Amino acid sequence: MNMIVQPEKRANKLKSTRIAGKLVNDYWEMVWRAKEEGKLVCWYEGSAINPFLEAADIVWVHGEAYSAMLAARHQEGPAQQAAEERGYMKELCSYARTHLGCAVSNQRNRNDTDTGVSNAPDDNDLASKLPPPDMIISAYAYCSTGQQWDEMTSRLFGKKIPIFNVSIPWVWGSKPDAKYLQGREWNETSAYVERQLMDMVKFIEERTGKPYPWDRLRELMTNVKRASELRLEAMDMCTATPAPASFFDWVVSIAPINNLPAGPQIVDYFQTVRDEVAARVASGEGAVPKEKYRLFFDGIMNWNKVGWLAEKFARYDAAVVTGRYTHMAFWQEPGLIDPQNPVLGMAQNYLICPNNHAAPILIDLIMGLCEKYQVDGMVIHASRTCRAFTNPQFLIADAATKRLGIQTSMFEGDVTDESFYKDELLNSRVEAMLEAIDSRRMARA
Amino acid sequence: MDGILQQFARVAADPLTYARDWKARTGRRVIGLFPMHFPGELAHAAGALPVILQQDDVPITVGQSQVFSFYCGYNRSIIDQALRGEFAVLDAILFGDHCVQLLGTADVIRAEVPGLPILFNQLCSVLDADWAMTQTQGTFTQLWRELEALTGAPLPPDAVRDSIRAFNRNRALIRQLYDLRRAGKVVLTGRQMQMVVKSSMVMDKAEHTTLLEQLLATIDQSGVRGNPVRVFLSGHLCHAPRPEVLDLVEDCGGLVVDDDLYHGFRFIHADVAETGDPVEALSHWYIDRNHKVPCPTRAIKGMDWEDYLLKAVDRSGAQGLVVLMAKFCEPHMYFYPEIKEAFDRHGIPHLLIETEHEEMPLEALKTRVETFIEIARRKAAA
């Protein structure tokens, strides 16, 4: 490929997202202090059940978030190595593999009493620093790996940790009345998950020995709902040309909506983001210096490569304006949440994680986003060990081409295992797609 | 005996041809089922031939347009078969599993074979949850209604009970073969036992049962000759391991005496109550399964695959364990370290063989299997 890439073009990231970095650091510091402060710790994966835990003053550790944090800091290696040494294979979900590696490291430090040296983990050894769980809650939408991951975590801690499972059924959507958030199947699955969440609350009460503080949950969910509304409002403004923020800005903003403490600070954060986006729209400032292409990003994030990819696409004058991971997940339907009676709405938001609707509904939603944001092409990240995201990708690519007539380009990478990422393949494929977009434009002119 | 085994082998080698012939002969429906936990009894009672859909031996070609290479051989093969038009014989597919790869496969089939109804009723995968029984009964009740809608005829409870009896009889006969093999009275190779079980996943139950009765009446019970190393096979969920791999274990001096393979004891280990409410009976069958042969795709407290395997290997008198793992099978990859550590702790020789749909270089594998057999032999002699 001969496309000339100008290295001086830099991604114009939202300034306000720097606040997210501080919030994230503060949160993990709180997690690392949990045992010193005598707090109960819950490990969980998948669905954002953290408000349930935060309300009960339980410190929460989202497995994917911890693995993503390690990968984003390029500190995932020791955890992945520890997992590999125990026999977890490289083809396993790398989120799980990294998190299980933390559990392996943690147990090694605890049990390694014969070495004559201190067992306390090095302060920089983030794998070992993760406090062990006092309880595990498994509430994973769509992907069967979540339940099995939690089962393994329980075993790594000697099967002594109480575990509670919430089953979140896949929304298959084949009944005649099935539509997004509509139909008998939707109503039945919503009620089923709601019932289980009520049982989960009983499990939490058993762990804390206290009545569940419902008022605190209502307060937190009021914040979550408002933060989500502001986030979606800011995202909607990115239909502007040039797009004021990119997919990568929204990736950086996942933690504040998904797993950080749900106090007023998340509302403040998204208010600040929203205001900056609005100011950019008013001034015509774009997320890339010279927006020439608008792209949809399908697939989960390559956490080792967030900044790298943001810069790469900026150099191509490509604004990645929307994506499945960012725009179809994380309290995506705040309208369903009634803060005074939040459990049903929480269950429903868990049911609409970006993969938990079967392909027909999922693809309709993606095509809707592509049209709304007026994208020219779709870049598809086939994440090697995240089959939940890769499952429908050929169908999505096919629909994008046939329904919308847009170009697609697929590359292989992974959520937290950098070894699956091939930079040159991405370069050549993206360049080919952009050239095809150019050719099509020239033909139309 | 050989003639019966050859009949089983023919069906096992080409299940969809059997299904097509059966359909032409009877004029009745053929209903495909995805593995590993969905009962075939209801489809049988509705007058259909329930066929557990199998991986075939054909290299993946057109299927590559809809599935990545980093998916297990079963899912890749099923998608390839669907795109090659092999499922034209099917009148519907039933499934209720939660394997993430299988969910993707179902989506592809719905998109690529739009006229083929897929009756999806997701089973609760947490078997000891307070709501597991209620939810499972609801799932099977819903399936019952959907089958009635598909066939346009009511499905009488007595017909379901008859089907349950027919399935139980079939499973019981295969378990007799397992008992005889464990006791050393009969020699059925790994390949032969796979053919027995795999054909039972496909054939008309009455026909298969008749053949099993004949087999049991005529099978050579003169016992094991020589001094082979007794081997237990474990794993290989959802689809059958290539028979050549099983042959290799025996060619290298092993004798397969027992297994927990899905195309083996896992499939036939549990029966359904023949009296009472059939939905309740099927639900108990499903919920209680993990107490007998634990499955890594299901969560239940107090039952572990490795503990079961240690006991099962001991009970069978096996001198070593061969773990057969389909590449990219996530539940198996999660549990393998548990099994490995448990068998290491107990000093029982074990060997992991990772299988792939296309590439299985048997010569390279042979050295590893020979070494394993030798270690197991020496360990037993020590």
Side-chain angles (χ1 to χ4, degrees):
Chain A
M1 294 294 156
N2 300 317
M3 185 164 280
I4 297 168
V5 175
Q6 299 173 26
E8 70 275 13
K9 290 181 184 170
R10 301 295 309 268
N12 182 24
K13 298 168 194 163
L14 289 176
K15 308 294 177 289
S16 49
T17 56
R18 289 178 193 156
I19 302 167
K22 181 178 182 319
L23 293 174
V24 167
N25 288 340
D26 290 348
Y27 161 68
W28 289 120
E29 290 292 340
M30 176 194 80
V31 168
W32 292 325
R33 287 196 309 270
K35 293 291 174 183
E36 290 165 30
E37 295 179 354
K39 297 276 180 70
L40 290 172
V41 174
C42 177
W43 286 16
Y44 70 107
E45 274 74 58
S47 304
I49 57 162
N50 44 299
F52 282 108
L53 301 165
E54 184 179 359
D57 202 24
I58 295 167
V59 170
W60 60 100
V61 175
H62 189 239
E64 293 95 322
Y66 204 76
S67 299
M69 180 270 290
L70 290 177
R73 296 182 182 194
H74 303 288
Q75 293 186 47
E76 73 280 21
Q80 291 178 1
Q81 190 181 337
E84 196 173 337
E85 283 166 6
R86 186 162 191 264
Y88 295 114
M89 295 182 176
K90 195 174 170 65
E91 297 294 346
L92 266 180
C93 164
S94 67
Y95 268 155
R97 203 159 24 99
T98 308
H99 191 224
L100 289 169
C102 293
V104 171
S105 303
N106 189 296
Q107 286 300 84
R108 273 185 191 160
N109 281 324
R110 183 182 285 192
N111 298 329
D112 186 14
T113 53
D114 300 329
T115 59
V117 296
S118 166
N119 295 327
D122 184 308
D123 213 38
N124 295 320
D125 177 6
L126 299 187
S128 303
K129 206 172 166 181
L130 183 60
D134 299 294
M135 68 193 84
I136 299 167
I137 296 180
S138 183
Y140 222 104
Y142 189 57
C143 185
S144 49
T145 212
Q147 177 189 301
Q148 290 146 17
W149 170 0
D150 290 318
E151 285 289 311
M152 288 308 106
T153 305
S154 164
R155 282 164 169 73
L156 282 168
F157 288 100
K159 293 181 240 175
K160 291 172 188 154
I161 313 291
I163 181 166
F164 187 88
N165 288 280
V166 178
S167 295
I168 302 181
W170 189 33
V171 182
W172 171 240
S174 67
K175 308 284 187 296
D177 63 350
K179 288 183 183 162
Y180 181 58
L181 312 185
Q182 290 177 43
R184 189 176 140 201
E185 183 185 12
W186 169 253
N187 293 329
E188 285 177 356
T189 50
S190 297
Y192 176 41
V193 177
E194 183 190 22
R195 285 197 300 274
Q196 294 178 68
L197 292 176
M198 295 305 291
D199 283 352
M200 183 187 81
V201 166
K202 287 181 203 156
F203 171 81
I204 290 172
E205 286 178 324
E206 285 165 12
R207 306 276 79 73
T208 62
K210 295 175 189 168
Y212 190 75
W214 286 104
D215 284 346
R216 179 73 180 133
L217 181 68
R218 292 184 188 106
E219 202 179 300
L220 296 174
M221 289 313 296
T222 302
N223 295 332
V224 167
K225 181 181 171 92
R226 183 63 191 138
S228 171
E229 288 166 346
L230 289 163
R231 174 175 174 264
L232 294 176
E233 190 184 337
M235 284 176 160
D236 275 353
M237 291 183 207
C238 296
T239 53
T241 305
S246 80
F247 170 81
F248 302 102
D249 291 310
W250 302 122
V251 166
V252 174
S253 297
I254 287 173
I257 193 69
N258 187 51
N259 66 292
L260 295 193
Q265 67 274 22
I266 62 167
V267 178
D268 295 344
Y269 172 74
F270 283 106
Q271 182 70 55
T272 309
V273 169
R274 181 237 165 260
D275 291 347
E276 185 183 0
V277 169
R280 282 190 174 195
V281 173
S283 65
E285 183 180 348
V288 299
K290 189 182 164 192
E291 179 180 303
K292 188 176 173 190
Y293 313 99
R294 294 168 70 89
L295 303 178
F296 180 95
F297 191 99
D298 191 77
I300 198 165
M301 195 56 230
N302 209 314
W303 284 105
N304 327 73
K305 298 283 175 192
V306 181
W308 172 275
L309 290 173
E311 297 299 343
K312 182 184 290 292
F313 284 99
R315 288 198 295 275
Y316 286 125
D317 300 324
V320 183
V321 290
T322 180
R324 173 155 55 123
Y325 189 42
T326 47
H327 287 59
M328 292 172 62
F330 310 115
W331 302 112
Q332 185 60 21
E333 293 290 351
L336 296 174
I337 300 167
D338 171 4
Q340 291 313 304
N341 190 15
V343 180
L344 176 62
M346 295 172 84
Q348 290 178 321
N349 271 273
Y350 302 155
L351 277 163
I352 52 169
C353 103
N355 309 311
N356 201 47
H357 278 84
I361 290 174
L362 180 77
I363 290 172
D364 282 348
L365 293 171
I366 290 173
M367 295 304 113
L369 281 173
C370 289
E371 290 180 310
K372 177 178 173 181
Y373 287 89
Q374 296 184 302
V375 304
D376 308 298
M378 178 181 284
V379 59
I380 299 171
H381 171 212
S383 47
R384 173 82 177 206
T385 69
C386 182
R387 287 144 189 117
F389 261 95
T390 53
N391 268 351
Q393 286 185 319
F394 290 110
L395 296 173
I396 293 168
D398 193 50
T401 306
K402 287 182 180 159
R403 288 200 216 171
L404 306 179
I406 62 173
Q407 302 293 317
T408 65
S409 173
M410 198 175 275
F411 73 101
E412 197 172 302
D414 190 57
V415 276
T416 65
D417 189 336
E418 197 171 9
S419 65
F420 289 118
Y421 175 79
K422 305 285 183 292
D423 196 44
E424 271 313 305
L425 277 182
L426 172 62
N427 290 344
S428 58
R429 289 178 185 176
V430 169
E431 286 171 16
M433 179 177 70
L434 299 181
E435 284 191 8
I437 293 170
D438 284 341
S439 303
R440 185 168 289 195
R441 285 175 177 169
M442 279 190 281
R444 282 194 199 127
Chain B
M1 169 188 163
D2 287 347
I4 296 166
L5 289 173
Q6 280 167 13
Q7 282 192 64
F8 288 154
R10 272 196 298 277
V11 175
D14 193 357
L16 292 176
T17 292
Y18 175 86
R20 280 187 282 269
D21 292 347
W22 184 90
K23 189 171 190 170
R25 197 167 71 234
T26 64
R28 285 151 57 188
R29 290 181 177 82
V30 174
I31 293 184
L33 281 89
F34 283 145
M36 291 187 297
H37 298 279
F38 223 63
E41 282 87 337
L42 289 173
H44 181 268
L49 177 71
V51 173
I52 298 197
L53 297 175
Q54 306 286 334
Q55 179 189 32
D56 70 11
D57 292 336
V58 178
I60 311 302
T61 52
V62 291
Q64 291 190 28
S65 67
Q66 288 293 353
V67 63
F68 290 96
S69 59
F70 46 84
Y71 279 57
C72 79
Y74 180 76
N75 280 283
R76 294 173 66 227
S77 174
I78 289 291
I79 287 177
D80 197 65
Q81 290 177 63
L83 268 62
R84 293 200 318 263
E86 295 289 341
F87 293 160
V89 65
L90 301 179
D91 294 283
I93 289 178
L94 313 184
F95 87 116
D97 217 295
H98 72 141
C99 164
V100 66
Q101 297 183 36
L102 199 55
L103 299 187
T105 296
D107 254 340
V108 171
I109 294 175
R110 172 159 59 177
E112 297 290 336
V113 193
L116 178 59
I118 300 178
L119 311 186
F120 173 69
N121 290 282
Q122 192 156 22
L123 288 162
C124 175
S125 61
V126 186
L127 301 182
D128 54 2
D130 290 345
W131 54 83
M133 180 54 74
T134 314
Q135 192 65 21
T136 306
Q137 288 179 353
T139 302
F140 289 148
T141 302
Q142 175 72 15
L143 172 65
W144 190 309
R145 289 194 202 109
E146 289 182 5
L147 281 168
E148 287 177 328
L150 181 82
T151 59
L155 183 48
D158 279 344
V160 178
R161 278 189 278 269
D162 286 346
S163 293
I164 287 171
R165 270 189 285 278
F167 276 57
N168 283 350
R169 172 72 180 148
N170 190 264
R171 286 185 283 247
L173 291 171
I174 299 176
R175 287 199 301 272
Q176 278 186 38
L177 284 175
Y178 267 90
D179 288 342
L180 289 168
R181 188 165 75 155
R182 278 188 208 108
K185 292 180 181 168
V186 305
V187 176
L188 275 173
T189 65
R191 173 189 282 266
Q192 288 170 330
M193 194 58 103
Q194 181 186 110
M195 300 311 159
V196 170
V197 176
K198 190 175 175 185
S199 58
S200 81
M201 295 174 166
V202 175
M203 284 177 76
D204 177 89
K205 275 292 174 246
E207 188 184 356
H208 195 264
T209 296
T210 302
L211 290 170
L212 278 175
E213 287 165 343
Q214 291 169 10
L215 178 65
L216 276 157
T218 56
I219 195 164
D220 176 2
Q221 297 203 26
S222 57
V224 179
R225 294 182 190 86
N227 186 28
V229 170
R230 293 168 66 87
V231 174
F232 191 103
L233 301 177
S234 173
H236 229 274
L237 311 171
C238 291
H239 64 287
R242 284 183 173 230
E244 295 84 354
V245 177
L246 309 185
D247 294 344
L248 186 63
V249 171
E250 286 162 330
D251 290 347
C252 293
L255 176 72
V256 177
V257 292
D258 204 352
D259 67 71
D260 74 350
L261 306 173
Y262 178 60
H263 284 72
F265 190 67
R266 181 178 296 280
F267 181 67
I268 49 91
H269 77 272
D271 286 341
V272 183
E274 296 176 6
T275 54
D277 174 31
V279 164
E280 201 172 310
L282 286 166
S283 302
H284 274 293
W285 169 82
Y286 171 67
I287 295 288
D288 295 341
R289 281 164 68 80
N290 257 42
H291 288 292
K292 293 164 185 162
V293 180
C295 176
T297 68
R298 296 294 180 270
I300 187 166
K301 294 176 189 77
M303 265 315 282
D304 291 304
W305 196 3
E306 67 273 21
D307 293 345
Y308 158 79
L309 273 175
L310 285 167
K311 284 181 195 152
V313 166
D314 182 55
R315 200 169 46 238
S316 69
Q319 293 153 315
L321 172 77
V322 172
V323 175
L324 295 163
M325 182 191 290
K327 191 165 184 178
F328 305 114
C329 175
E330 288 193 332
H332 207 169
M333 286 193 281
Y334 276 112
F335 274 81
Y336 174 67
E338 306 294 316
I339 295 167
K340 176 180 171 295
E341 283 194 357
F343 277 75
D344 281 345
R345 269 198 310 275
H346 286 79
I348 301 170
H350 58 94
L351 173 72
L352 171 67
I353 298 177
E354 211 178 14
T355 68
E356 295 191 54
H357 182 71
E358 278 104 350
E359 293 172 22
M360 279 299 298
L362 292 179
E363 272 309 309
L365 189 56
K366 191 176 173 192
T367 312
R368 293 178 56 215
V369 175
E370 283 172 341
T371 308
F372 162 74
I373 294 288
E374 191 53 35
I375 290 170
R377 191 188 302 282
R378 288 184 188 186
K379 182 95 184 170

